[in-house]
Amino acid sequence: MRGLFITFEGVDGCGKTTQAERLAEYLSSHGRQVVLTREPGGTEISEKIRAVLLDRSNHTMSWLTEMFLYMASRAQLTEEIIRPSLDKGSVVISDRFMDATLAYQGYGRGLDREMIRQLNIVATSKLIPDLTILMDLVPEICSRRMAAMGKSIDRLEGAGSEFQKKVREGYLEMAGMESQRFRVIDAGKSIDENEREIREIIGSLLQ
Ligand code: TMP
């Protein structure tokens, strides 16, 4: 039995990490084998790449370098963790995956989106999530939330509100184009309400 691959996406501060963790706990407690991971990161090598990507002192990093580093992190994570776990029948939940590069480096930075799509195919060896939960919220509220949590801002989060706005619009456009894979959740609702909604979506998928 092949497992199930679920990804969470959204702008910084949208609450996806909390929901990914809650879903992982919920499915584990219901007897599923669950692997929770994140991008960039999720393996020893990918976490090192993450540190380079998010380091604010790397302000001279070119956008192409940035894009290739996300792809490199993804290639390692896919081959080392995601594919073997799916082959064993696990549910793999990833806090971000390939759509983030289209949203951030494509819609946000303005890099060629067709090129990113092609490189995603290479980096993932054609792996596509079964379900992508997009936690949608206006970036202004997300920034306020992060500030209220006292979270320090990394290199991408510090890219400005216009950038985050483009990222959000990109995500929504992608969700519209691939409506069979994406489910859009209103992240302005409470954490518990979002959790319930996500459980319902997953429930119908696991039946
Ligand atoms: P995180 O805060 O969700 O862990 O993600 C780290 C940052 O990296 C976040 O600002 C989004 C950004 N990012 C991209 O720009 N492109 C990508 O492909 C991925 C996976 C993340």
Side-chain angles (χ1 to χ4, degrees):
M1 178 185 71
R2 187 187 168 274
L4 190 67
F5 185 25
I6 303 165
T7 58
F8 279 82
E9 298 281 357
V11 298
D12 298 291
C14 67
K16 65 187 168 40
T17 304
T18 305
Q19 293 299 338
E21 286 168 358
R22 286 194 177 198
L23 181 63
E25 264 171 46
Y26 173 72
L27 293 176
S28 300
S29 70
H30 283 73
R32 291 295 302 227
Q33 192 68 40
V34 179
V35 174
L36 175 63
T37 190
R38 69 169 178 181
E39 268 210 356
T43 73
E44 207 179 320
I45 293 170
S46 306
E47 288 292 333
K48 287 180 185 163
I49 298 173
R50 179 186 176 93
V52 174
L53 275 164
L54 302 188
D55 184 345
R56 289 204 77 161
S57 70
N58 285 334
H59 50 84
T60 56
M61 189 185 295
S62 85
W63 291 349
L64 263 185
T65 304
E66 178 182 283
M67 191 266 310
F68 279 119
L69 286 174
Y70 281 112
M71 291 291 176
S73 166
R74 178 162 310 136
Q76 187 65 32
L77 177 68
T78 305
E79 196 173 320
E80 192 178 325
I81 305 284
I82 301 178
R83 270 202 192 275
S85 305
L86 290 174
D87 289 344
K88 279 189 220 145
S90 301
V91 177
V92 177
I93 300 173
S94 189
D95 183 347
R96 297 195 188 281
F97 192 60
M98 60 186 208
D99 301 304
T101 312
L102 264 176
Y104 280 79
Q105 281 65 49
Y107 288 91
R109 300 292 199 208
L111 293 183
D112 186 283
R113 295 204 286 274
E114 198 37 50
M115 169 193 69
I116 294 174
R117 280 192 194 96
Q118 294 302 323
L119 290 172
N120 265 335
I121 292 171
V122 177
T124 64
S125 310
K126 298 190 179 148
L127 182 68
I128 296 173
D130 298 297
L131 170 72
T132 298
I133 308 258
L134 173 58
M135 304 280 299
D136 180 53
L137 191 58
V138 283
E140 290 77 12
I141 299 183
C142 297
S143 314
R144 260 183 263 147
R145 277 186 184 176
M146 285 194 292
M149 280 157 55
K151 199 174 169 289
S152 62
I153 301 292
D154 66 40
R155 203 176 56 82
L156 271 288
E157 287 161 354
S161 59
E162 269 314 299
F163 175 76
Q164 296 283 343
K165 223 171 111 192
K166 284 191 219 159
V167 172
R168 180 198 182 205
E169 282 161 11
Y171 270 130
L172 288 173
E173 192 172 301
M174 286 153 61
M177 287 191 301
E178 276 189 79
S179 54
Q180 70 296 352
R181 173 164 69 89
F182 276 88
R183 292 287 179 283
V184 183
I185 298 280
D186 175 2
K189 292 184 188 167
S190 76
I191 293 177
D192 289 344
E193 230 170 306
N194 281 167
E195 184 181 13
R196 263 195 303 278
E197 239 176 294
I198 291 167
R199 280 186 191 180
E200 268 171 36
I201 295 168
I202 306 296
S204 58
L205 210 75
L206 286 173
Q207 269 163 19

